[in-house]
Short mmCIF file of all heavy atoms in Angstrom, two decimals:
data_model
loop_
_atom_site.label_atom_id
_atom_site.label_comp_id
_atom_site.label_asym_id
_atom_site.label_seq_id
_atom_site.Cartn_x
_atom_site.Cartn_y
_atom_site.Cartn_z
N SER Q 1 205.01 143.87 99.81
CA SER Q 1 206.24 143.23 100.28
C SER Q 1 207.39 143.70 99.45
O SER Q 1 207.29 144.08 98.26
CB SER Q 1 206.23 141.72 100.10
OG SER Q 1 205.15 141.15 100.82
N LEU Q 2 208.61 143.95 100.09
CA LEU Q 2 209.81 144.14 99.40
C LEU Q 2 210.44 142.81 99.11
O LEU Q 2 210.39 141.87 99.88
CB LEU Q 2 210.79 144.86 100.39
CG LEU Q 2 210.85 146.40 100.20
CD1 LEU Q 2 211.72 147.04 101.37
CD2 LEU Q 2 211.56 146.81 98.84
N THR Q 3 211.04 142.68 97.97
CA THR Q 3 211.56 141.41 97.47
C THR Q 3 212.79 140.95 98.24
O THR Q 3 213.13 139.72 98.08
CB THR Q 3 211.89 141.45 96.00
OG1 THR Q 3 212.84 142.50 95.71
CG2 THR Q 3 210.61 141.66 95.15
N GLU Q 4 213.47 141.81 98.94
CA GLU Q 4 214.64 141.46 99.62
C GLU Q 4 214.57 141.84 101.13
O GLU Q 4 213.94 142.85 101.42
CB GLU Q 4 215.96 142.04 99.10
CG GLU Q 4 216.14 141.71 97.54
CD GLU Q 4 216.51 140.26 97.25
OE1 GLU Q 4 216.94 139.60 98.24
OE2 GLU Q 4 216.30 139.82 96.21
N LYS Q 5 215.13 141.12 102.04
CA LYS Q 5 215.09 141.45 103.41
C LYS Q 5 216.19 142.58 103.62
O LYS Q 5 217.22 142.71 102.86
CB LYS Q 5 215.46 140.29 104.28
CG LYS Q 5 214.33 139.23 104.29
CD LYS Q 5 214.64 138.17 105.34
CE LYS Q 5 213.50 137.11 105.44
NZ LYS Q 5 212.23 137.73 105.96
N GLY Q 6 215.97 143.39 104.69
CA GLY Q 6 216.98 144.37 105.11
C GLY Q 6 216.56 145.78 104.82
O GLY Q 6 217.30 146.74 105.18
N TRP Q 7 215.34 146.02 104.24
CA TRP Q 7 214.80 147.32 104.09
C TRP Q 7 215.53 148.22 103.09
O TRP Q 7 215.47 149.42 103.11
CB TRP Q 7 214.69 148.13 105.40
CG TRP Q 7 213.94 147.31 106.54
CD1 TRP Q 7 214.37 146.92 107.66
CD2 TRP Q 7 212.50 146.95 106.47
NE1 TRP Q 7 213.46 146.25 108.43
CE2 TRP Q 7 212.32 146.28 107.64
CE3 TRP Q 7 211.49 147.14 105.60
CZ2 TRP Q 7 211.03 145.79 108.01
CZ3 TRP Q 7 210.22 146.62 105.91
CH2 TRP Q 7 210.03 145.96 107.18
N ALA Q 8 216.32 147.63 102.22
CA ALA Q 8 217.04 148.41 101.16
C ALA Q 8 216.00 149.13 100.26
O ALA Q 8 215.01 148.51 99.88
CB ALA Q 8 217.94 147.52 100.36
N HIS Q 9 216.17 150.42 100.04
CA HIS Q 9 215.37 151.29 99.17
C HIS Q 9 213.93 151.25 99.62
O HIS Q 9 212.96 151.27 98.87
CB HIS Q 9 215.42 150.69 97.76
CG HIS Q 9 216.83 150.60 97.23
ND1 HIS Q 9 217.70 151.76 97.03
CD2 HIS Q 9 217.60 149.51 96.84
CE1 HIS Q 9 218.83 151.36 96.55
NE2 HIS Q 9 218.84 150.01 96.47
N LEU Q 10 213.72 151.25 100.95
CA LEU Q 10 212.44 151.29 101.55
C LEU Q 10 211.66 152.50 101.17
O LEU Q 10 210.45 152.46 100.85
CB LEU Q 10 212.43 151.19 103.02
CG LEU Q 10 211.13 151.28 103.80
CD1 LEU Q 10 210.21 150.16 103.38
CD2 LEU Q 10 211.38 151.22 105.30
N ASP Q 11 212.25 153.69 101.10
CA ASP Q 11 211.63 154.92 100.75
C ASP Q 11 210.99 154.85 99.40
O ASP Q 11 209.91 155.33 99.09
CB ASP Q 11 212.53 156.07 101.00
CG ASP Q 11 212.87 156.41 102.39
OD1 ASP Q 11 212.13 155.89 103.29
OD2 ASP Q 11 213.77 157.18 102.63
N ASP Q 12 211.78 154.26 98.41
CA ASP Q 12 211.32 154.10 97.05
C ASP Q 12 210.12 153.20 97.01
O ASP Q 12 209.13 153.42 96.26
CB ASP Q 12 212.46 153.66 96.21
CG ASP Q 12 213.58 154.68 96.13
OD1 ASP Q 12 213.30 155.83 95.94
OD2 ASP Q 12 214.72 154.25 96.09
N ALA Q 13 210.21 152.04 97.78
CA ALA Q 13 209.11 151.11 97.77
C ALA Q 13 207.87 151.73 98.31
O ALA Q 13 206.74 151.48 97.86
CB ALA Q 13 209.50 149.80 98.60
N VAL Q 14 207.96 152.50 99.40
CA VAL Q 14 206.87 153.16 100.08
C VAL Q 14 206.14 154.11 99.05
O VAL Q 14 204.99 154.19 98.96
CB VAL Q 14 207.31 153.90 101.35
CG1 VAL Q 14 206.24 154.89 101.77
CG2 VAL Q 14 207.54 152.81 102.42
N ALA Q 15 207.05 154.91 98.32
CA ALA Q 15 206.45 155.82 97.38
C ALA Q 15 205.62 155.12 96.30
O ALA Q 15 204.57 155.58 95.89
CB ALA Q 15 207.58 156.66 96.77
N LEU Q 16 206.14 153.97 95.88
CA LEU Q 16 205.37 153.19 94.82
C LEU Q 16 204.14 152.56 95.40
O LEU Q 16 203.10 152.55 94.74
CB LEU Q 16 206.31 152.03 94.28
CG LEU Q 16 207.50 152.57 93.41
CD1 LEU Q 16 208.56 151.45 93.25
CD2 LEU Q 16 206.97 152.94 91.99
N ALA Q 17 204.20 152.09 96.65
CA ALA Q 17 203.03 151.54 97.27
C ALA Q 17 201.95 152.56 97.43
O ALA Q 17 200.78 152.42 97.14
CB ALA Q 17 203.35 150.99 98.65
N ALA Q 18 202.36 153.80 97.85
CA ALA Q 18 201.42 154.92 98.12
C ALA Q 18 200.85 155.35 96.71
O ALA Q 18 199.62 155.71 96.59
CB ALA Q 18 202.18 156.07 98.71
N GLN Q 19 201.66 155.32 95.67
CA GLN Q 19 201.11 155.62 94.37
C GLN Q 19 200.11 154.67 93.91
O GLN Q 19 198.99 155.10 93.35
CB GLN Q 19 202.28 155.64 93.38
CG GLN Q 19 201.92 155.89 91.92
CD GLN Q 19 203.06 155.75 90.97
OE1 GLN Q 19 204.26 155.68 91.38
NE2 GLN Q 19 202.76 155.61 89.66
N LEU Q 20 200.27 153.46 94.15
CA LEU Q 20 199.28 152.47 93.80
C LEU Q 20 197.99 152.58 94.56
O LEU Q 20 196.90 152.58 94.05
CB LEU Q 20 199.80 151.04 94.01
CG LEU Q 20 198.86 149.86 93.68
CD1 LEU Q 20 198.46 149.89 92.28
CD2 LEU Q 20 199.59 148.53 94.00
N VAL Q 21 198.13 152.80 95.91
CA VAL Q 21 196.88 152.97 96.71
C VAL Q 21 196.18 154.16 96.24
O VAL Q 21 194.93 154.21 96.20
CB VAL Q 21 197.36 153.11 98.26
CG1 VAL Q 21 196.03 153.41 98.99
CG2 VAL Q 21 197.89 151.76 98.68
N ARG Q 22 196.90 155.27 96.00
CA ARG Q 22 196.19 156.51 95.66
C ARG Q 22 195.42 156.33 94.31
O ARG Q 22 194.38 156.76 94.05
CB ARG Q 22 197.26 157.62 95.46
CG ARG Q 22 196.61 159.03 95.25
CD ARG Q 22 197.62 160.07 94.79
NE ARG Q 22 198.47 160.41 95.93
CZ ARG Q 22 198.27 161.46 96.68
NH1 ARG Q 22 197.10 162.24 96.47
NH2 ARG Q 22 199.04 161.73 97.65
N SER Q 23 196.05 155.51 93.29
CA SER Q 23 195.45 155.34 92.09
C SER Q 23 194.20 154.48 92.13
O SER Q 23 193.31 154.47 91.29
CB SER Q 23 196.42 154.67 91.09
OG SER Q 23 196.71 153.33 91.41
N LEU Q 24 194.15 153.61 93.20
CA LEU Q 24 192.99 152.65 93.39
C LEU Q 24 191.95 153.36 94.27
O LEU Q 24 190.82 152.79 94.44
CB LEU Q 24 193.48 151.45 94.17
CG LEU Q 24 194.34 150.49 93.33
CD1 LEU Q 24 194.88 149.38 94.16
CD2 LEU Q 24 193.60 149.99 92.14
#
């Protein structure tokens, strides 16, 4: 989940999510 509504900085959040999934 993103902490705020509106999709601000979605690309950065996606990169972090993918980084976590890849590490797991």
Side-chain angles (χ1 to χ4, degrees):
S1 302
L2 264 172
T3 57
E4 303 291 339
K5 291 185 179 294
W7 306 115
H9 306 292
L10 175 60
D11 290 343
D12 295 319
V14 164
L16 289 163
Q19 178 185 345
L20 178 59
V21 174
R22 188 191 289 267
S23 72
L24 291 172

